[in-house]
Amino acid sequence: MNRKIRDMLCEYNITIEYSNYLDHDGYYIPGTNIIVLNNRLNEIEQEKTLLHEMTHAALHREDSVLYEMVEGIKQEMENEANKTMIRGMLDEYISRTQLDPSEVNYVSFINDTELNQNYDTYVIKLLKQKINLGGYKNG
């Protein structure tokens, strides 16, 4: 587990538990501030799931009822969590490989981090932002 994830877990006082009985990769349980991870995930899948679920913990904790009741809001929250996860994975990848953002091959990044190929447009957008602005804009 990378340092950034450990720091975020401490900052938001989130506990991680593991289960062999999940039908998904992981869940955030707002009432207990616990993230439950599927025990069968490899290290990369765990990191992606943690980043995704920590977004729910940090940004959506108070909206869990809306998440369950309104499909449109649920989809917005899931989209936001996926985008945050991808940004975190990209930051970690750049740090680990010590590449300049202009040197990152987005296909290699997607393959190395086991991301869905459907995220290619978003990854390209993030890389352009990092190259042009030295960071990310919202979205």
Side-chain angles (χ1 to χ4, degrees), residues 16-78:
I16 300 175
E17 293 186 6
Y18 295 87
S19 173
N20 291 321
Y21 306 105
L22 294 183
D23 58 351
H24 287 78
D25 291 342
Y27 291 101
Y28 171 64
I29 306 169
T32 59
N33 210 29
I34 293 173
I35 293 174
V36 182
L37 292 177
N38 190 320
N39 206 29
R40 295 180 297 267
L41 300 178
N42 66 36
E43 187 175 337
I44 292 171
E45 292 166 331
Q46 280 187 23
E47 185 172 335
K48 289 187 315 191
T49 302
L50 277 171
L51 287 167
H52 177 98
E53 298 304 329
M54 285 190 305
T55 302
H56 291 308
L59 303 178
H60 308 144
R61 169 187 329 219
E62 304 300 324
D63 298 323
S64 61
V65 172
L66 288 173
Y67 178 93
E68 295 297 330
M69 294 181 67
V70 183
E71 187 61 31
I73 291 175
K74 177 179 181 176
Q75 291 305 315
E76 284 180 31
M77 290 178 183
E78 288 299 320

Side-chain angles (χ1 to χ4, degrees), residues 74-122:
K74 177 179 181 176
Q75 291 305 315
E76 284 180 31
M77 290 178 183
E78 288 299 320
N79 189 39
E80 183 174 32
N82 284 333
K83 286 181 173 184
T84 301
M85 175 267 296
I86 293 167
R87 281 193 304 271
M89 295 296 291
L90 182 57
D91 288 343
E92 174 62 23
Y93 182 83
I94 289 171
S95 174
R96 180 173 39 85
T97 60
Q98 298 184 336
L99 292 172
D100 183 83
S102 64
E103 300 172 319
V104 173
N105 178 310
Y106 78 93
V107 175
S108 295
F109 164 72
I110 288 172
N111 289 335
D112 289 353
T113 56
E114 301 176 14
L115 287 173
N116 186 311
Q117 296 292 326
N118 294 335
Y119 292 126
D120 63 346
T121 303
Y122 186 65

